[in-house]
Amino acid sequence: MGWLRSSILKENRIQVIFPYLIASLILLALPNSYQRQLSHLIFAFAYSPFYQLNSKLKELYQVSQKNKSLNEELIRLKIEILSSKEESLENLRLRELLGFKSKTEYEVIPAEVVALEPNRKSYMVMLDIGENDGVERNLPVINMKGLVGRVTDVEEGSCWIELLLHPNCRVAVLDQRSRVHGIIRGAQGNLLKLDNVPTDGDIQVGDKVISSGLGGIFPAGLEIGEVKKVGGVEGWRLFKSILVKSGVDFNQLEELFVIRFKKTD
Amino acid sequence: MILVKNLNYQKIFFVILPILLIVYLAILRGPKEGALFGFSIGLLLDIFNPHFLGLGALIKCFIGFFVGNFKETLFLESIFSKVVILFLAVFTNDLFYILISSGFGFQRTFEVLWYGSLLSGLYTCFWGFFLFVFPKKISIRLT
């Protein structure tokens, strides 16, 4: 090691280390708060460009992944659109062949519940749309869970809805599985009663009940609810006693949609 | 097993890689550059432990400086001696850093050196071997 010592001392290389030594000692002697502040400063100066680059790269990667998944979704949807277009054209052709009238198309008008009837037993709610929005009497009202009711009174900027639970409200329905027809009306609480189903009508608990389209007010296919109880088959009764649980929570109505009929041709 | 368990991602980036670079550059460029590079890298690493800001910089600066002094010696012609220097550099760095930061707690220093630095040193030597061998082979081929 003698040669190392002599080479360091001979060429005065030791001077090289002094500034660093002094700087290091100063840094070590600084109070903790200054050390922390200085660390933050050095960090911001030296590392932040890398962190920024890293976050940008991450962002870019996420965007590219999202783009990929959106592209896949787009392709899937395009295929679905094409196939549904084909089916729609086929449907039209078949309907023409069979001489059916053209189907009525619907458009939905979104609305919000702004008021409830003070007497809650009357089952009426007010919406924030009216004549100005194209609302008319007897238009059906739905939400994401199924049929809610129908429009009874229309004003310029509002309208009143008679809920499905209302004693006056009747809807022609059918059992989705067995295609047995009946009439739905309010029963007790949130339950609905399915009337006019003969005792030999094939209705089972758990069957879905949908609107049949008969009567002309409610279009066919709107979800009403699920059969909860089937009774009245014993004795000399004419009709079954069936209770249906609506999917709609009538106590928590917020956003609703009014269905407006639109004749295509 | 204990040695392998003690090696982690943090150790590779905060201990092994910096020393490897300091030693490599000091051998390549000399004591001035070695000291500068050691100080810079040490300071950049010190900010993650602000309580000892400057300590890592000082130790690494000395390491860079002393290793750089070996540049012109024939001693460094062999790969083996370079690898030994690398190992000693890791060991010295850990020894002084832990010794000073623990307030000259010899027991703690010994534990860390035995369970951590030994493996770090060996691991650094392993990568250092490739770092020293390949550039040499490439330069031989080019000439």
Side-chain angles (χ1 to χ4, degrees), chain A residues 14 16-24, chain B residues 19 22 26 30-43 54-69 93:
Chain A
I14 199 77
V16 171
I17 210 108
F18 276 125
Y20 302 118
L21 181 68
I22 292 161
S24 302
Chain B
I19 292 285
I22 292 165
K32 275 185 192 175
E33 290 81 355
L36 174 67
F37 202 69
F39 182 82
S40 313
I41 285 194
L43 193 64
L55 180 61
L58 182 65
I59 295 166
K60 286 181 180 67
C61 170
F62 271 103
I63 289 172
F65 175 73
F66 280 107
V67 172
N69 277 295
N93 177 66

Side-chain angles (χ1 to χ4, degrees), chain A residues 212-225:
Chain A
S212 64
L214 302 177
I217 293 177
F218 301 101
L222 294 178
E223 196 177 324
I224 306 290

Side-chain angles (χ1 to χ4, degrees), chain A residues 118-134:
Chain A
N119 177 8
R120 295 293 294 275
K121 282 189 178 174
S122 60
Y123 305 109
M124 302 278 281
V125 292
M126 188 193 246
L127 299 186
D128 63 346
I129 52 170
E131 263 177 11
N132 299 343
D133 305 284

